[in-house]
mmCIF file of all heavy atoms in Angstrom:
data_model
loop_
_atom_site.group_PDB
_atom_site.id
_atom_site.type_symbol
_atom_site.label_atom_id
_atom_site.label_comp_id
_atom_site.label_asym_id
_atom_site.label_seq_id
_atom_site.Cartn_x
_atom_site.Cartn_y
_atom_site.Cartn_z
ATOM 1 N N TRP A 1 2.204 -12.121 1.984
ATOM 2 C CA TRP A 1 2.071 -11.232 3.135
ATOM 3 C C TRP A 1 0.594 -11.015 3.447
ATOM 4 O O TRP A 1 -0.122 -10.416 2.654
ATOM 5 C CB TRP A 1 2.741 -9.886 2.863
ATOM 6 C CG TRP A 1 4.224 -9.928 2.972
ATOM 7 C CD1 TRP A 1 5.124 -10.075 1.971
ATOM 8 C CD2 TRP A 1 4.985 -9.814 4.177
ATOM 9 N NE1 TRP A 1 6.402 -10.078 2.460
ATOM 10 C CE2 TRP A 1 6.360 -9.914 3.815
ATOM 11 C CE3 TRP A 1 4.665 -9.652 5.525
ATOM 12 C CZ2 TRP A 1 7.385 -9.856 4.757
ATOM 13 C CZ3 TRP A 1 5.687 -9.593 6.464
ATOM 14 C CH2 TRP A 1 7.034 -9.692 6.077
ATOM 15 N N PRO A 2 0.112 -11.482 4.598
ATOM 16 C CA PRO A 2 -1.276 -11.206 4.980
ATOM 17 C C PRO A 2 -1.500 -9.700 5.120
ATOM 18 O O PRO A 2 -0.616 -8.966 5.584
ATOM 19 C CB PRO A 2 -1.435 -11.920 6.327
ATOM 20 C CG PRO A 2 -0.359 -12.976 6.315
ATOM 21 C CD PRO A 2 0.786 -12.366 5.567
ATOM 22 N N GLN A 3 -2.666 -9.237 4.734
ATOM 23 C CA GLN A 3 -2.918 -7.798 4.744
ATOM 24 C C GLN A 3 -2.854 -7.200 6.146
ATOM 25 O O GLN A 3 -2.433 -6.056 6.322
ATOM 26 C CB GLN A 3 -4.268 -7.501 4.096
ATOM 27 C CG GLN A 3 -4.296 -7.794 2.606
ATOM 28 C CD GLN A 3 -5.529 -7.248 1.916
ATOM 29 O OE1 GLN A 3 -5.874 -6.085 2.059
ATOM 30 N NE2 GLN A 3 -6.209 -8.120 1.171
ATOM 31 N N HIS A 4 -3.241 -7.984 7.157
ATOM 32 C CA HIS A 4 -3.193 -7.407 8.503
ATOM 33 C C HIS A 4 -1.742 -7.206 8.964
ATOM 34 O O HIS A 4 -1.459 -6.296 9.738
ATOM 35 C CB HIS A 4 -3.978 -8.269 9.502
ATOM 36 C CG HIS A 4 -3.336 -9.571 9.846
ATOM 37 N ND1 HIS A 4 -3.560 -10.726 9.112
ATOM 38 C CD2 HIS A 4 -2.472 -9.921 10.861
ATOM 39 C CE1 HIS A 4 -2.874 -11.716 9.657
ATOM 40 N NE2 HIS A 4 -2.199 -11.269 10.706
ATOM 41 N N HIS A 5 -0.790 -8.019 8.454
ATOM 42 C CA HIS A 5 0.618 -7.800 8.770
ATOM 43 C C HIS A 5 1.103 -6.500 8.128
ATOM 44 O O HIS A 5 1.867 -5.729 8.731
ATOM 45 C CB HIS A 5 1.469 -8.971 8.265
ATOM 46 C CG HIS A 5 1.514 -10.137 9.199
ATOM 47 N ND1 HIS A 5 0.428 -10.952 9.425
ATOM 48 C CD2 HIS A 5 2.520 -10.626 9.975
ATOM 49 C CE1 HIS A 5 0.759 -11.889 10.291
ATOM 50 N NE2 HIS A 5 2.025 -11.725 10.642
ATOM 51 N N LEU A 6 0.661 -6.250 6.901
ATOM 52 C CA LEU A 6 1.058 -5.013 6.226
ATOM 53 C C LEU A 6 0.457 -3.798 6.940
ATOM 54 O O LEU A 6 1.121 -2.759 7.070
ATOM 55 C CB LEU A 6 0.602 -5.047 4.762
ATOM 56 C CG LEU A 6 1.139 -6.210 3.924
ATOM 57 C CD1 LEU A 6 0.623 -6.105 2.494
ATOM 58 C CD2 LEU A 6 2.667 -6.241 3.933
ATOM 59 N N ALA A 7 -0.773 -3.949 7.396
ATOM 60 C CA ALA A 7 -1.406 -2.845 8.120
ATOM 61 C C ALA A 7 -0.632 -2.520 9.391
ATOM 62 O O ALA A 7 -0.367 -1.351 9.703
ATOM 63 C CB ALA A 7 -2.858 -3.204 8.446
ATOM 64 N N VAL A 8 -0.244 -3.559 10.134
ATOM 65 C CA VAL A 8 0.526 -3.349 11.369
ATOM 66 C C VAL A 8 1.859 -2.675 11.049
ATOM 67 O O VAL A 8 2.316 -1.785 11.777
ATOM 68 C CB VAL A 8 0.745 -4.692 12.094
ATOM 69 C CG1 VAL A 8 1.749 -4.532 13.235
ATOM 70 C CG2 VAL A 8 -0.582 -5.218 12.620
ATOM 71 N N HIS A 9 2.503 -3.102 9.967
ATOM 72 C CA HIS A 9 3.774 -2.502 9.569
ATOM 73 C C HIS A 9 3.627 -1.001 9.342
ATOM 74 O O HIS A 9 4.547 -0.228 9.644
ATOM 75 C CB HIS A 9 4.281 -3.178 8.295
ATOM 76 C CG HIS A 9 5.679 -2.778 7.914
ATOM 77 N ND1 HIS A 9 6.785 -3.518 8.260
ATOM 78 C CD2 HIS A 9 6.160 -1.703 7.227
ATOM 79 C CE1 HIS A 9 7.878 -2.923 7.807
ATOM 80 N NE2 HIS A 9 7.521 -1.830 7.168
ATOM 81 N N LEU A 10 2.470 -0.580 8.840
ATOM 82 C CA LEU A 10 2.229 0.840 8.552
ATOM 83 C C LEU A 10 1.611 1.578 9.733
ATOM 84 O O LEU A 10 1.372 2.782 9.647
ATOM 85 C CB LEU A 10 1.298 0.978 7.341
ATOM 86 C CG LEU A 10 1.844 0.489 5.998
ATOM 87 C CD1 LEU A 10 0.747 0.513 4.944
ATOM 88 C CD2 LEU A 10 3.023 1.354 5.551
ATOM 89 N N GLY A 11 1.344 0.851 10.820
ATOM 90 C CA GLY A 11 0.698 1.485 11.972
ATOM 91 C C GLY A 11 -0.763 1.773 11.729
ATOM 92 O O GLY A 11 -1.321 2.728 12.275
ATOM 93 N N MET A 12 -1.414 0.947 10.913
ATOM 94 C CA MET A 12 -2.809 1.138 10.572
ATOM 95 C C MET A 12 -3.623 -0.061 11.044
ATOM 96 O O MET A 12 -3.081 -1.146 11.288
ATOM 97 C CB MET A 12 -2.987 1.279 9.044
ATOM 98 C CG MET A 12 -2.189 2.388 8.405
ATOM 99 S SD MET A 12 -2.352 2.380 6.583
ATOM 100 C CE MET A 12 -4.100 2.785 6.399
ATOM 101 N N SER A 13 -4.938 0.119 11.132
ATOM 102 C CA SER A 13 -5.818 -1.011 11.387
ATOM 103 C C SER A 13 -6.083 -1.712 10.060
ATOM 104 O O SER A 13 -6.006 -1.083 8.996
ATOM 105 C CB SER A 13 -7.140 -0.536 11.995
ATOM 106 O OG SER A 13 -7.879 0.223 11.034
ATOM 107 N N PRO A 14 -6.377 -3.008 10.071
ATOM 108 C CA PRO A 14 -6.668 -3.716 8.819
ATOM 109 C C PRO A 14 -7.789 -3.085 8.007
ATOM 110 O O PRO A 14 -7.730 -3.037 6.780
ATOM 111 C CB PRO A 14 -7.040 -5.123 9.293
ATOM 112 C CG PRO A 14 -6.299 -5.279 10.585
ATOM 113 C CD PRO A 14 -6.345 -3.914 11.227
ATOM 114 N N SER A 15 -8.821 -2.565 8.686
ATOM 115 C CA SER A 15 -9.937 -1.949 7.952
ATOM 116 C C SER A 15 -9.485 -0.673 7.251
ATOM 117 O O SER A 15 -9.868 -0.415 6.104
ATOM 118 C CB SER A 15 -11.098 -1.656 8.906
ATOM 119 O OG SER A 15 -10.691 -0.758 9.937
ATOM 120 N N ASN A 16 -8.668 0.141 7.931
ATOM 121 C CA ASN A 16 -8.169 1.365 7.303
ATOM 122 C C ASN A 16 -7.224 1.050 6.151
ATOM 123 O O ASN A 16 -7.187 1.769 5.144
ATOM 124 C CB ASN A 16 -7.457 2.243 8.333
ATOM 125 C CG ASN A 16 -8.425 2.917 9.283
ATOM 126 O OD1 ASN A 16 -9.615 3.018 8.998
ATOM 127 N ND2 ASN A 16 -7.919 3.368 10.421
ATOM 128 N N PHE A 17 -6.462 -0.038 6.292
ATOM 129 C CA PHE A 17 -5.555 -0.439 5.225
ATOM 130 C C PHE A 17 -6.352 -0.802 3.971
ATOM 131 O O PHE A 17 -6.034 -0.373 2.859
ATOM 132 C CB PHE A 17 -4.707 -1.628 5.681
ATOM 133 C CG PHE A 17 -3.750 -2.138 4.644
ATOM 134 C CD1 PHE A 17 -2.536 -1.510 4.433
ATOM 135 C CD2 PHE A 17 -4.068 -3.254 3.878
ATOM 136 C CE1 PHE A 17 -1.636 -1.986 3.473
ATOM 137 C CE2 PHE A 17 -3.181 -3.746 2.925
ATOM 138 C CZ PHE A 17 -1.968 -3.102 2.714
ATOM 139 N N GLY A 18 -7.405 -1.592 4.155
ATOM 140 C CA GLY A 18 -8.238 -1.968 3.020
ATOM 141 C C GLY A 18 -8.927 -0.774 2.391
ATOM 142 O O GLY A 18 -9.028 -0.673 1.162
ATOM 143 N N THR A 19 -9.384 0.158 3.222
ATOM 144 C CA THR A 19 -10.046 1.360 2.712
ATOM 145 C C THR A 19 -9.075 2.214 1.916
ATOM 146 O O THR A 19 -9.431 2.771 0.859
ATOM 147 C CB THR A 19 -10.624 2.182 3.874
ATOM 148 O OG1 THR A 19 -11.577 1.382 4.586
ATOM 149 C CG2 THR A 19 -11.299 3.442 3.369
ATOM 150 N N MET A 20 -7.839 2.321 2.395
ATOM 151 C CA MET A 20 -6.828 3.114 1.697
ATOM 152 C C MET A 20 -6.638 2.628 0.266
ATOM 153 O O MET A 20 -6.508 3.421 -0.667
ATOM 154 C CB MET A 20 -5.495 3.051 2.445
ATOM 155 C CG MET A 20 -4.339 3.740 1.729
ATOM 156 S SD MET A 20 -2.728 3.413 2.488
ATOM 157 C CE MET A 20 -2.522 1.658 2.116
ATOM 158 N N LEU A 21 -6.634 1.302 0.076
ATOM 159 C CA LEU A 21 -6.378 0.740 -1.243
ATOM 160 C C LEU A 21 -7.556 0.893 -2.193
ATOM 161 O O LEU A 21 -7.412 0.667 -3.391
ATOM 162 C CB LEU A 21 -6.021 -0.744 -1.107
ATOM 163 C CG LEU A 21 -4.752 -1.050 -0.314
ATOM 164 C CD1 LEU A 21 -4.511 -2.552 -0.266
ATOM 165 C CD2 LEU A 21 -3.547 -0.337 -0.907
ATOM 166 N N LYS A 22 -8.713 1.298 -1.675
ATOM 167 C CA LYS A 22 -9.889 1.464 -2.519
ATOM 168 C C LYS A 22 -10.195 2.921 -2.833
ATOM 169 O O LYS A 22 -11.074 3.203 -3.645
ATOM 170 C CB LYS A 22 -11.110 0.838 -1.831
ATOM 171 C CG LYS A 22 -11.005 -0.674 -1.634
ATOM 172 C CD LYS A 22 -12.194 -1.208 -0.872
ATOM 173 C CE LYS A 22 -12.059 -2.707 -0.619
ATOM 174 N NZ LYS A 22 -13.196 -3.229 0.181
ATOM 175 N N ARG A 23 -9.491 3.831 -2.203
ATOM 176 C CA ARG A 23 -9.769 5.253 -2.417
ATOM 177 C C ARG A 23 -9.257 5.735 -3.768
ATOM 178 O O ARG A 23 -8.360 5.148 -4.357
ATOM 179 C CB ARG A 23 -9.141 6.082 -1.299
ATOM 180 C CG ARG A 23 -9.861 5.931 0.034
ATOM 181 C CD ARG A 23 -9.167 6.688 1.128
ATOM 182 N NE ARG A 23 -9.908 6.607 2.390
ATOM 183 C CZ ARG A 23 -9.402 6.874 3.579
ATOM 184 N NH1 ARG A 23 -8.133 7.236 3.676
ATOM 185 N NH2 ARG A 23 -10.146 6.784 4.661
ATOM 186 N N GLU A 24 -9.841 6.842 -4.235
ATOM 187 C CA GLU A 24 -9.448 7.415 -5.524
ATOM 188 C C GLU A 24 -8.111 8.144 -5.435
ATOM 189 O O GLU A 24 -7.470 8.372 -6.463
ATOM 190 C CB GLU A 24 -10.524 8.376 -6.020
ATOM 191 C CG GLU A 24 -11.850 7.686 -6.355
ATOM 192 C CD GLU A 24 -12.877 8.646 -6.917
ATOM 193 O OE1 GLU A 24 -12.559 9.858 -7.001
ATOM 194 O OE2 GLU A 24 -13.976 8.203 -7.263
ATOM 195 N N HIS A 25 -7.724 8.531 -4.223
ATOM 196 C CA HIS A 25 -6.444 9.209 -4.025
ATOM 197 C C HIS A 25 -5.793 8.687 -2.750
ATOM 198 O O HIS A 25 -6.458 8.145 -1.872
ATOM 199 C CB HIS A 25 -6.634 10.733 -3.919
ATOM 200 C CG HIS A 25 -7.192 11.363 -5.153
ATOM 201 N ND1 HIS A 25 -8.538 11.562 -5.341
ATOM 202 C CD2 HIS A 25 -6.577 11.829 -6.275
ATOM 203 C CE1 HIS A 25 -8.748 12.116 -6.519
ATOM 204 N NE2 HIS A 25 -7.584 12.295 -7.108
ATOM 205 N N VAL A 26 -4.494 8.870 -2.683
ATOM 206 C CA VAL A 26 -3.748 8.541 -1.475
ATOM 207 C C VAL A 26 -2.815 9.700 -1.185
ATOM 208 O O VAL A 26 -2.354 10.380 -2.118
ATOM 209 C CB VAL A 26 -2.961 7.224 -1.657
ATOM 210 C CG1 VAL A 26 -1.891 7.368 -2.727
ATOM 211 C CG2 VAL A 26 -2.335 6.779 -0.346
ATOM 212 N N LEU A 27 -2.576 9.972 0.078
ATOM 213 C CA LEU A 27 -1.687 11.078 0.433
ATOM 214 C C LEU A 27 -0.238 10.684 0.187
ATOM 215 O O LEU A 27 0.142 9.518 0.314
ATOM 216 C CB LEU A 27 -1.881 11.469 1.899
ATOM 217 C CG LEU A 27 -3.270 11.980 2.296
ATOM 218 C CD1 LEU A 27 -3.273 12.385 3.769
ATOM 219 C CD2 LEU A 27 -3.700 13.144 1.425
ATOM 220 N N VAL A 28 0.570 11.682 -0.154
ATOM 221 C CA VAL A 28 1.982 11.432 -0.454
ATOM 222 C C VAL A 28 2.673 10.732 0.710
ATOM 223 O O VAL A 28 3.456 9.796 0.505
ATOM 224 C CB VAL A 28 2.694 12.752 -0.801
ATOM 225 C CG1 VAL A 28 4.205 12.578 -0.740
ATOM 226 C CG2 VAL A 28 2.284 13.220 -2.190
ATOM 227 N N ARG A 29 2.400 11.163 1.923
ATOM 228 C CA ARG A 29 3.075 10.556 3.077
ATOM 229 C C ARG A 29 2.746 9.068 3.194
ATOM 230 O O ARG A 29 3.595 8.257 3.567
ATOM 231 C CB ARG A 29 2.717 11.298 4.370
ATOM 232 C CG ARG A 29 1.245 11.323 4.711
ATOM 233 C CD ARG A 29 1.004 12.128 5.992
ATOM 234 N NE ARG A 29 -0.409 12.312 6.280
ATOM 235 C CZ ARG A 29 -1.174 11.425 6.881
ATOM 236 N NH1 ARG A 29 -0.659 10.276 7.278
ATOM 237 N NH2 ARG A 29 -2.458 11.675 7.106
ATOM 238 N N ARG A 30 1.518 8.693 2.858
ATOM 239 C CA ARG A 30 1.144 7.288 2.916
ATOM 240 C C ARG A 30 1.776 6.515 1.761
ATOM 241 O O ARG A 30 2.233 5.377 1.927
ATOM 242 C CB ARG A 30 -0.379 7.149 2.871
ATOM 243 C CG ARG A 30 -0.859 5.741 3.111
ATOM 244 C CD ARG A 30 -0.530 5.277 4.512
ATOM 245 N NE ARG A 30 -1.352 5.923 5.512
ATOM 246 C CZ ARG A 30 -1.148 5.828 6.815
ATOM 247 N NH1 ARG A 30 -0.114 5.136 7.269
ATOM 248 N NH2 ARG A 30 -1.939 6.443 7.677
ATOM 249 N N ALA A 31 1.821 7.146 0.585
ATOM 250 C CA ALA A 31 2.459 6.492 -0.563
ATOM 251 C C ALA A 31 3.937 6.250 -0.282
ATOM 252 O O ALA A 31 4.480 5.191 -0.637
ATOM 253 C CB ALA A 31 2.285 7.348 -1.814
ATOM 254 N N LEU A 32 4.597 7.195 0.349
ATOM 255 C CA LEU A 32 6.008 7.023 0.694
ATOM 256 C C LEU A 32 6.186 5.895 1.710
ATOM 257 O O LEU A 32 7.153 5.124 1.634
ATOM 258 C CB LEU A 32 6.578 8.337 1.244
ATOM 259 C CG LEU A 32 6.793 9.460 0.230
ATOM 260 C CD1 LEU A 32 7.155 10.759 0.954
ATOM 261 C CD2 LEU A 32 7.882 9.091 -0.773
ATOM 262 N N ALA A 33 5.263 5.813 2.669
ATOM 263 C CA ALA A 33 5.350 4.755 3.678
ATOM 264 C C ALA A 33 5.175 3.383 3.038
ATOM 265 O O ALA A 33 5.890 2.427 3.371
ATOM 266 C CB ALA A 33 4.309 4.985 4.767
ATOM 267 N N VAL A 34 4.235 3.267 2.110
ATOM 268 C CA VAL A 34 4.013 1.986 1.434
ATOM 269 C C VAL A 34 5.199 1.647 0.544
ATOM 270 O O VAL A 34 5.616 0.480 0.465
ATOM 271 C CB VAL A 34 2.707 2.030 0.620
ATOM 272 C CG1 VAL A 34 2.559 0.780 -0.245
ATOM 273 C CG2 VAL A 34 1.504 2.160 1.556
ATOM 274 N N ARG A 35 5.775 2.648 -0.107
ATOM 275 C CA ARG A 35 6.954 2.395 -0.942
ATOM 276 C C ARG A 35 8.109 1.889 -0.094
ATOM 277 O O ARG A 35 8.811 0.943 -0.483
ATOM 278 C CB ARG A 35 7.358 3.674 -1.681
ATOM 279 C CG ARG A 35 8.473 3.456 -2.704
ATOM 280 C CD ARG A 35 8.811 4.742 -3.430
ATOM 281 N NE ARG A 35 9.512 5.693 -2.577
ATOM 282 C CZ ARG A 35 9.938 6.899 -2.989
ATOM 283 N NH1 ARG A 35 9.701 7.288 -4.231
ATOM 284 N NH2 ARG A 35 10.576 7.695 -2.154
ATOM 285 N N ALA A 36 8.317 2.493 1.077
ATOM 286 C CA ALA A 36 9.388 2.049 1.969
ATOM 287 C C ALA A 36 9.113 0.627 2.466
ATOM 288 O O ALA A 36 10.032 -0.205 2.562
ATOM 289 C CB ALA A 36 9.526 3.017 3.147
ATOM 290 N N MET A 37 7.859 0.334 2.776
ATOM 291 C CA MET A 37 7.497 -1.009 3.223
ATOM 292 C C MET A 37 7.755 -2.023 2.108
ATOM 293 O O MET A 37 8.302 -3.107 2.356
ATOM 294 C CB MET A 37 6.019 -1.041 3.627
ATOM 295 C CG MET A 37 5.506 -2.411 4.022
ATOM 296 S SD MET A 37 3.750 -2.417 4.505
ATOM 297 C CE MET A 37 2.971 -2.108 2.901
ATOM 298 N N TYR A 38 7.377 -1.684 0.910
ATOM 299 C CA TYR A 38 7.585 -2.579 -0.235
ATOM 300 C C TYR A 38 9.071 -2.866 -0.432
ATOM 301 O O TYR A 38 9.479 -4.020 -0.610
ATOM 302 C CB TYR A 38 6.987 -1.924 -1.474
ATOM 303 C CG TYR A 38 7.188 -2.693 -2.766
ATOM 304 C CD1 TYR A 38 6.360 -3.758 -3.093
ATOM 305 C CD2 TYR A 38 8.198 -2.337 -3.648
ATOM 306 C CE1 TYR A 38 6.527 -4.450 -4.281
ATOM 307 C CE2 TYR A 38 8.382 -3.027 -4.833
ATOM 308 C CZ TYR A 38 7.540 -4.079 -5.155
ATOM 309 O OH TYR A 38 7.726 -4.764 -6.325
ATOM 310 N N ASN A 39 9.886 -1.816 -0.383
ATOM 311 C CA ASN A 39 11.329 -1.994 -0.563
ATOM 312 C C ASN A 39 11.935 -2.865 0.531
ATOM 313 O O ASN A 39 12.914 -3.591 0.299
ATOM 314 C CB ASN A 39 12.030 -0.638 -0.595
ATOM 315 C CG ASN A 39 11.684 0.173 -1.836
ATOM 316 O OD1 ASN A 39 11.259 -0.383 -2.848
ATOM 317 N ND2 ASN A 39 11.851 1.484 -1.761
ATOM 318 N N ALA A 40 11.347 -2.807 1.726
ATOM 319 C CA ALA A 40 11.882 -3.581 2.848
ATOM 320 C C ALA A 40 11.408 -5.031 2.848
ATOM 321 O O ALA A 40 12.120 -5.921 3.333
ATOM 322 C CB ALA A 40 11.492 -2.913 4.162
ATOM 323 N N LEU A 41 10.218 -5.288 2.301
ATOM 324 C CA LEU A 41 9.600 -6.607 2.492
ATOM 325 C C LEU A 41 9.497 -7.475 1.248
ATOM 326 O O LEU A 41 9.242 -8.678 1.380
ATOM 327 C CB LEU A 41 8.178 -6.438 3.069
ATOM 328 C CG LEU A 41 8.048 -5.752 4.424
ATOM 329 C CD1 LEU A 41 6.590 -5.737 4.849
ATOM 330 C CD2 LEU A 41 8.913 -6.419 5.478
ATOM 331 N N TRP A 42 9.703 -6.914 0.062
ATOM 332 C CA TRP A 42 9.370 -7.716 -1.122
ATOM 333 C C TRP A 42 10.247 -8.961 -1.274
ATOM 334 O O TRP A 42 9.849 -9.940 -1.884
ATOM 335 C CB TRP A 42 9.409 -6.859 -2.385
ATOM 336 C CG TRP A 42 10.772 -6.450 -2.876
ATOM 337 C CD1 TRP A 42 11.482 -5.368 -2.486
ATOM 338 C CD2 TRP A 42 11.561 -7.121 -3.876
ATOM 339 N NE1 TRP A 42 12.676 -5.311 -3.170
ATOM 340 C CE2 TRP A 42 12.741 -6.370 -4.026
ATOM 341 C CE3 TRP A 42 11.391 -8.260 -4.640
ATOM 342 C CZ2 TRP A 42 13.758 -6.744 -4.920
ATOM 343 C CZ3 TRP A 42 12.390 -8.632 -5.532
ATOM 344 C CH2 TRP A 42 13.553 -7.875 -5.668
ATOM 345 N N ARG A 43 11.447 -8.931 -0.695
ATOM 346 C CA ARG A 43 12.305 -10.122 -0.746
ATOM 347 C C ARG A 43 12.359 -10.860 0.587
ATOM 348 O O ARG A 43 13.070 -11.854 0.721
ATOM 349 C CB ARG A 43 13.722 -9.725 -1.171
ATOM 350 C CG ARG A 43 13.843 -9.360 -2.637
ATOM 351 C CD ARG A 43 15.271 -9.077 -3.039
ATOM 352 N NE ARG A 43 15.810 -7.903 -2.351
ATOM 353 C CZ ARG A 43 17.024 -7.403 -2.565
ATOM 354 N NH1 ARG A 43 17.841 -8.001 -3.421
ATOM 355 N NH2 ARG A 43 17.432 -6.335 -1.921
ATOM 356 N N ALA A 44 11.624 -10.389 1.578
ATOM 357 C CA ALA A 44 11.655 -11.007 2.905
ATOM 358 C C ALA A 44 10.663 -12.172 2.974
ATOM 359 O O ALA A 44 9.691 -12.239 2.215
ATOM 360 C CB ALA A 44 11.325 -9.974 3.980
ATOM 361 N N ASP A 45 10.913 -13.090 3.888
ATOM 362 C CA ASP A 45 10.038 -14.240 4.105
ATOM 363 C C ASP A 45 8.992 -13.865 5.155
ATOM 364 O O ASP A 45 9.338 -13.583 6.302
ATOM 365 C CB ASP A 45 10.861 -15.436 4.588
ATOM 366 C CG ASP A 45 10.025 -16.696 4.763
ATOM 367 O OD1 ASP A 45 8.790 -16.620 4.594
ATOM 368 O OD2 ASP A 45 10.607 -17.752 5.069
ATOM 369 N N PRO A 46 7.706 -13.848 4.790
ATOM 370 C CA PRO A 46 6.680 -13.478 5.767
ATOM 371 C C PRO A 46 6.710 -14.353 7.018
ATOM 372 O O PRO A 46 6.399 -13.886 8.121
ATOM 373 C CB PRO A 46 5.368 -13.662 4.992
ATOM 374 C CG PRO A 46 5.760 -13.529 3.546
ATOM 375 C CD PRO A 46 7.139 -14.104 3.459
ATOM 376 N N ALA A 47 7.102 -15.630 6.846
ATOM 377 C CA ALA A 47 7.129 -16.539 8.000
ATOM 378 C C ALA A 47 8.125 -16.073 9.047
ATOM 379 O O ALA A 47 7.929 -16.297 10.254
ATOM 380 C CB ALA A 47 7.466 -17.955 7.539
ATOM 381 N N GLU A 48 9.202 -15.436 8.617
ATOM 382 C CA GLU A 48 10.203 -14.949 9.556
ATOM 383 C C GLU A 48 9.745 -13.691 10.287
ATOM 384 O O GLU A 48 10.427 -13.220 11.191
ATOM 385 C CB GLU A 48 11.514 -14.679 8.827
ATOM 386 C CG GLU A 48 12.154 -15.934 8.233
ATOM 387 C CD GLU A 48 13.457 -15.636 7.525
ATOM 388 O OE1 GLU A 48 13.828 -14.436 7.440
ATOM 389 O OE2 GLU A 48 14.113 -16.594 7.047
#
């Protein structure tokens, strides 16, 4: 999964997505959104 596709899935810009992953903390609402994205995409084919 290209990172910019994941950013779009979360409604974020690619730069904000990268910054989020480098921060010392993440907000619960964002963690929940990433968890939901992971559950939806981990078995999906990115090409589709």
Side-chain angles (χ1 to χ4, degrees):
W1 283 97
Q3 292 191 51
H4 72 271
H5 276 70
L6 301 181
V8 170
H9 189 96
L10 294 172
M12 303 175 66
S13 67
S15 60
N16 287 342
F17 179 81
T19 300
M20 175 190 68
L21 297 180
K22 296 176 183 178
R23 288 176 177 162
E24 294 183 358
H25 297 93
V26 65
L27 298 183
V28 164
R29 60 182 173 82
R30 188 65 72 189
L32 288 171
V34 172
R35 187 179 72 179
M37 176 180 70
Y38 177 81
N39 292 338
L41 299 183
W42 73 273
R43 287 184 296 183
D45 183 355
E48 296 180 357

